[in-house]
Amino acid sequence: MIYIVNDREGNILRKEYLEEIRTVDKIAKNTIAHVDGNKIVYSDVCQIVDGKCLENTIIDLLNNSENAINEILRLKYPVNIDPVTYAYKISGVNLGGVTTDYKGYIKLAKAVRLLYVLDESNRNKKKWNEEWTKALYNKLKDYSFEHIKTFPDPFSSTASQAKRISQQLVSLISVAVVVVAIFSMSTNMTNNWVKSKPWLGVASVVSAGLAVAASFGLLSACGIENLQWNVGLPFIILATEVDDSFVVLACWKVTDCGDSVEKRMEQTYRNAAVSITITSLTNFFCYCIGMTAQFPGIRIFSLSGYKEEKGLHPFTFKPALGIWGVLSLQDGLNVYKFNSESSEISQGFHVYYKYFTEYPFTVHVVINETLDYSNPGVQQTVYKFMQKFHTIENIAGQEYEFSWLKYYKEFQNHPISKYSLRGYDLSQKQDFMDALRNVFLKFIGAKQFKSDIIINHNYTDIVASRFLFLANNVSNRVTEFKIANDLSKIVEEAPFSVVIHTIITPVIEQGIVIRQITFQLFWITSLLIFVIFVSLIPNLHCALIVAICVVSITLQTIGFMSLWAINLDIVSVMTLILCIGFCVNYPTHICYCYITSSQTTTEGKLKDSLCHVGFPLIQGRSKSLLPGIISATFN
């Protein structure tokens, strides 16, 4: 998609603007991408229908008419339907910010959207599609137009931007390793050269690196797809898995210097092993739980969640600040926070939401099941089911429903068809199928329905069919979520197998289910942490304290995300793995040190715990922040 406005964002249906829009189309069709030594042009990647690439309605008019503006003004908005041939043109796809007269004919438009539909049925062409799209956007970016401004499709460009950032982050992994190694060496030094342990710091970084290499190697050998988000794994592992070295060092320091190395090692591991095992098992099982999530990206990372709590503040009668933030947490990717305000992608989103949300997209309803459409009972069931979609507030009226079945039935009653359908008994299944293929779909206006019907190889059954609706007034993320939820509810009640798709489905779908997944995985993770702790440290009181700490820290983290206007999306959910790593380690190490302390009083045990574990944990946390600081500074 290419979004176009004029320099003043006024009426774009003027000759000088339309001429430059035509130039944009010529640039697209003449763009060449080089892939593996091959020259790829638009005709190599476009979706072919009836032997030619799909064309934009507005470009069709510009190419075929000397008086293009008058041709455009004779179109109805958002759809122009020929009552005789049933041919329809969805003008709402190409034109935005439209004003119409009382009959629905276009008077003016403030934006144009050109669509270049690519062939995605051939997986071998995937790289061709990507490279051609990239070449087109780069060419338009470098082209200087006199009157218009062009913007790339913000939805697909966001994914490309994420991929580009991921690739650039790869070079920072080595920087993070070097910085963390130097920091580890320096913090393991003391004022005594003999007791300094610089190589222990290096060893902890090497250990984390081996974990990354081994896990990537194993998964690659198993044929697991490598996602672009995996680039964050080295930073996360480096951030969460190096601080155990400080715990081991703290346990070593409290041993008797006069004992043998073997005995000191025995005492060190006796004191450190249980708490380190608990935190390691917790992280391991959290990753395993994360593998059950519906999103492939989350399967790579572990996930912690949250629970809404109702503890009220005595003065404000509101929960604690962070928990209050949880209640107002927003779901879904915030498209404006993903890129800078001045970027072309953000400006593209502004054009989309400003001009193309009155009739923003088509809703594809696919009956993915073999049905006998010649049966009046089946026809009635399909009609009633399709009627339900018009009860949704953000679905346009019935006049904007594009149903091959509806028009086929109208065609049967049309005077012109009486002769054409002579000899066919449309109540018989095979005659119904033959008339559909050999008569109805042969008419010029009805040819566009060919892609809505999938017929089996011997032409006896319709195995799948598609019906189209226009969305209406979907102008913000809240409404996008609402229409997606409303569509899903109707599909759940369908009497046959149905699949729904819209252009915003990939972005919205994650937001719909992400809160539910977060709740489910939170309870599983919390229960698992409790079981592991009780199994290795059979002290119910300490286990409850650890559980409270995990819940509290996770709630506060998510709560402040909300206050900082960070949505609960796929990116932030993956980042929450850090929360599990941080909030489990602190209480586990301190509780275990408290239980095993040789002191007899509560005050003595607390002092012993903080003395032996507190400072090493602070060192570990300081070091753990470095990888995140490095990547965040770059971004």
Side-chain angles (χ1 to χ4, degrees):
M1 293 186 189
I2 301 170
Y3 288 82
I4 305 170
V5 294
N6 61 41
D7 47 6
R8 298 179 181 178
E9 295 196 18
N11 182 18
I12 204 166
L13 301 181
R14 290 171 52 182
K15 184 176 180 180
E16 61 269 30
Y17 303 142
L18 295 178
E19 283 297 324
E20 289 200 331
I21 290 170
R22 198 173 172 186
T23 301
V24 172
D25 183 65
K26 290 180 180 178
I27 290 173
K29 290 170 181 173
N30 292 310
T31 293
I32 299 174
H34 297 273
V35 183
D36 300 328
N38 298 314
K39 290 185 177 180
I40 307 302
V41 295
Y42 178 56
S43 59
D44 296 320
V45 295
C46 71
Q47 179 69 52
I48 302 292
V49 176
D50 291 333
K52 62 179 183 179
C53 296
L54 281 176
E55 188 61 273
N56 290 278
T57 297
I58 190 170
I59 296 299
D60 232 355
L61 297 175
L62 294 179
N63 288 338
N64 299 329
S65 174
E66 289 294 326
N67 194 6
I69 294 179
N70 285 336
E71 291 290 327
I72 294 172
L73 297 180
R74 279 200 285 264
L75 292 177
K76 283 191 173 182
Y77 180 85
V79 179
N80 196 81
I81 303 176
D82 189 315
V84 177
T85 66
Y86 308 119
Y88 65 87
K89 294 180 179 180
I90 307 179
S91 56
V93 169
N94 286 139
L95 298 175
V98 174
T99 300
T100 62
D101 62 18
Y102 71 98
K103 292 183 178 179
Y105 289 98
I106 296 170
K107 290 177 63 178
L108 62 87
K110 293 188 176 181
V112 167
R113 176 172 58 182
L114 300 182
L115 280 75
Y116 297 92
V117 185
L118 305 185
D119 180 10
E120 296 183 347
S121 61
N122 188 342
R123 288 184 175 271
N124 296 327
K125 285 188 176 181
K126 184 178 180 182
K127 190 174 182 181
W128 289 14
N129 294 348
E130 291 177 355
E131 292 301 320
W132 182 85
T133 302
K134 188 189 302 182
L136 172 57
Y137 285 156
N138 288 337
K139 199 166 184 178
L140 288 174
K141 189 175 182 180
D142 296 335
Y143 198 94
S144 179
F145 293 99
E146 185 178 352
H147 301 293
I148 64 173
K149 295 182 286 186
T150 65
F151 305 98
D153 171 35
F155 293 97
S156 62
S157 297
T158 297
S160 302
Q161 180 81 342
K163 185 176 182 179
R164 183 186 65 81
I165 292 173
S166 299
Q167 291 171 343
Q168 291 179 332
L169 281 175
V170 172
S171 61
L172 292 181
I173 295 175
S174 58
V175 177
V177 169
V178 171
V179 172
V180 173
I182 293 173
F183 182 82
S184 300
M185 291 178 67
S186 61
T187 52
N188 279 322
M189 298 291 287
T190 68
N191 58 1
N192 187 323
W193 283 107
V194 174
K195 294 185 177 181
S196 295
K197 304 286 187 299
W199 298 115
L200 183 62
V202 175
S204 66
V205 177
V206 171
S207 176
L210 291 174
V212 173
S215 58
F216 270 76
L218 176 62
L219 292 173
S220 178
C222 294
I224 304 298
E225 182 183 1
N226 184 22
L227 302 177
Q228 65 189 39
W229 306 108
N230 287 355
V231 72
L233 273 173
F235 293 98
I236 291 178
I237 293 175
L238 199 61
T240 57
E241 301 307 320
V242 294
D243 54 353
D244 283 340
S245 61
F246 291 99
V247 177
V248 174
L249 186 61
C251 294
W252 173 269
K253 286 179 180 179
V254 297
T255 60
D256 189 346
C257 296
D259 291 338
S260 64
V261 174
E262 289 79 6
K263 186 173 182 180
R264 296 184 71 186
M265 291 282 286
E266 176 190 343
Q267 293 174 344
T268 297
Y269 286 123
R270 180 191 302 157
N271 293 331
V274 174
S275 57
I276 289 177
T277 300
I278 291 174
T279 57
S280 299
L281 284 175
T282 299
N283 288 338
F284 172 75
F285 283 112
C286 284
Y287 277 94
C288 292
I289 292 170
M291 289 170 63
T292 65
Q294 298 179 26
F295 300 116
I298 298 179
R299 292 174 193 159
I300 306 300
F301 296 80
S302 168
L303 177 65
S304 71
Y306 59 86
K307 173 183 178 290
E308 296 181 359
E309 294 189 354
K310 297 182 179 179
L312 300 181
H313 191 278
F315 298 106
T316 63
F317 297 99
K318 296 285 186 182
L321 191 60
I323 297 176
W324 176 76
V326 171
L327 300 178
S328 58
L329 186 65
Q330 297 296 312
D331 300 331
L333 183 66
N334 188 330
V335 294
Y336 294 110
K337 293 293 181 69
F338 204 76
N339 301 280
S340 66
E341 182 62 28
S342 60
S343 72
E344 285 188 327
I345 298 176
S346 292
Q347 292 180 56
F349 275 119
H350 281 298
V351 172
Y352 170 78
Y353 282 109
K354 186 174 182 180
Y355 296 123
F356 289 95
T357 53
E358 185 177 2
Y359 299 98
F361 50 80
T362 52
V363 178
H364 302 244
V365 180
V366 178
I367 298 180
N368 193 28
E369 184 178 316
T370 301
L371 296 179
D372 179 8
Y373 289 93
S374 66
N375 186 323
V378 172
Q379 294 177 9
Q380 195 63 25
T381 301
V382 172
Y383 288 148
K384 286 183 178 179
F385 175 67
M386 295 305 164
Q387 283 293 320
K388 292 183 179 180
F389 288 97
H390 294 293
T391 64
I392 298 177
E393 181 182 357
N394 299 104
I395 293 292
Q398 292 184 359
E399 65 272 25
Y400 302 133
E401 175 187 330
F402 310 107
S403 164
W404 66 268
L405 184 59
K406 179 177 74 174
Y407 287 114
Y408 185 31
K409 295 296 290 183
E410 287 185 10
F411 174 76
Q412 294 168 22
N413 299 320
H414 200 284
I416 199 173
S417 67
K418 296 297 184 182
Y419 177 79
S420 302
L421 294 176
R422 190 174 60 181
Y424 290 101
D425 182 359
L426 297 182
S427 64
Q428 297 298 315
K429 181 179 178 182
Q430 196 55 54
D431 280 4
F432 180 93
M433 295 294 297
D434 292 340
L436 175 67
R437 289 177 50 248
N438 300 324
V439 181
F440 178 66
L441 294 179
K442 296 293 184 181
F443 278 82
I444 294 177
K447 282 185 177 180
Q448 58 201 338
F449 293 114
K450 282 185 178 180
S451 59
D452 294 339
I453 307 168
I454 304 298
I455 302 175
N456 64 356
H457 68 283
N458 56 2
Y459 310 115
T460 57
D461 278 304
I462 296 175
V463 296
S465 66
R466 178 178 63 171
F467 303 85
L468 302 179
F469 301 89
L470 275 187
N472 183 222
N473 294 328
V474 187
S475 57
N476 52 57
R477 301 312 301 275
V478 174
T479 312
E480 288 174 353
F481 279 107
K482 180 181 180 300
I483 189 173
N485 271 317
D486 291 342
L487 290 170
S488 297
K489 289 176 182 176
I490 291 178
V491 170
E492 289 172 2
E493 301 170 355
F496 24 65
S497 176
V498 175
V499 177
I500 293 285
H501 180 75
T502 71
I503 195 172
I504 63 171
T505 297
V507 178
I508 298 302
E509 215 170 46
Q510 59 160 283
I512 294 174
V513 300
I514 205 164
R515 185 179 290 259
Q516 178 184 355
I517 291 174
T518 305
F519 270 107
Q520 292 173 350
L521 297 184
F522 169 73
W523 289 114
I524 298 173
T525 303
S526 300
L527 180 62
L528 184 63
I529 291 172
F530 182 82
V531 170
I532 292 174
F533 195 97
V534 172
S535 300
L536 296 178
I537 303 178
N539 187 307
L540 187 61
H541 185 236
C542 288
L544 288 173
I545 290 175
V546 171
I548 291 171
C549 286
V550 171
V551 171
S552 176
I553 295 172
T554 306
L555 280 171
Q556 295 294 330
T557 302
I558 299 179
F560 280 106
M561 279 171 50
S562 173
L563 298 178
W564 293 328
I566 299 174
N567 285 16
L568 185 64
D569 56 39
I570 224 170
V571 179
S572 60
V573 164
M574 291 189 295
T575 307
L576 283 175
I577 179 58
L578 293 174
C579 190
I580 283 288
F582 289 170
C583 67
V584 171
N585 287 5
Y586 269 118
T588 300
H589 292 315
I590 291 176
C591 282
Y592 181 71
C593 191
Y594 179 89
I595 292 172
T596 58
S597 173
S598 59
Q599 299 293 324
T600 56
T601 64
T602 300
E603 184 179 355
K605 287 178 178 289
L606 285 173
K607 287 182 178 179
D608 204 20
S609 300
L610 295 175
C611 178
H612 292 161
V613 180
F615 182 65
L617 283 177
I618 292 172
Q619 288 179 304
R621 283 295 162 262
S622 300
K623 179 170 64 175
S624 298
L625 289 173
L626 291 175
I629 292 173
I630 292 171
S631 60
T633 301
F634 171 79
N635 288 333

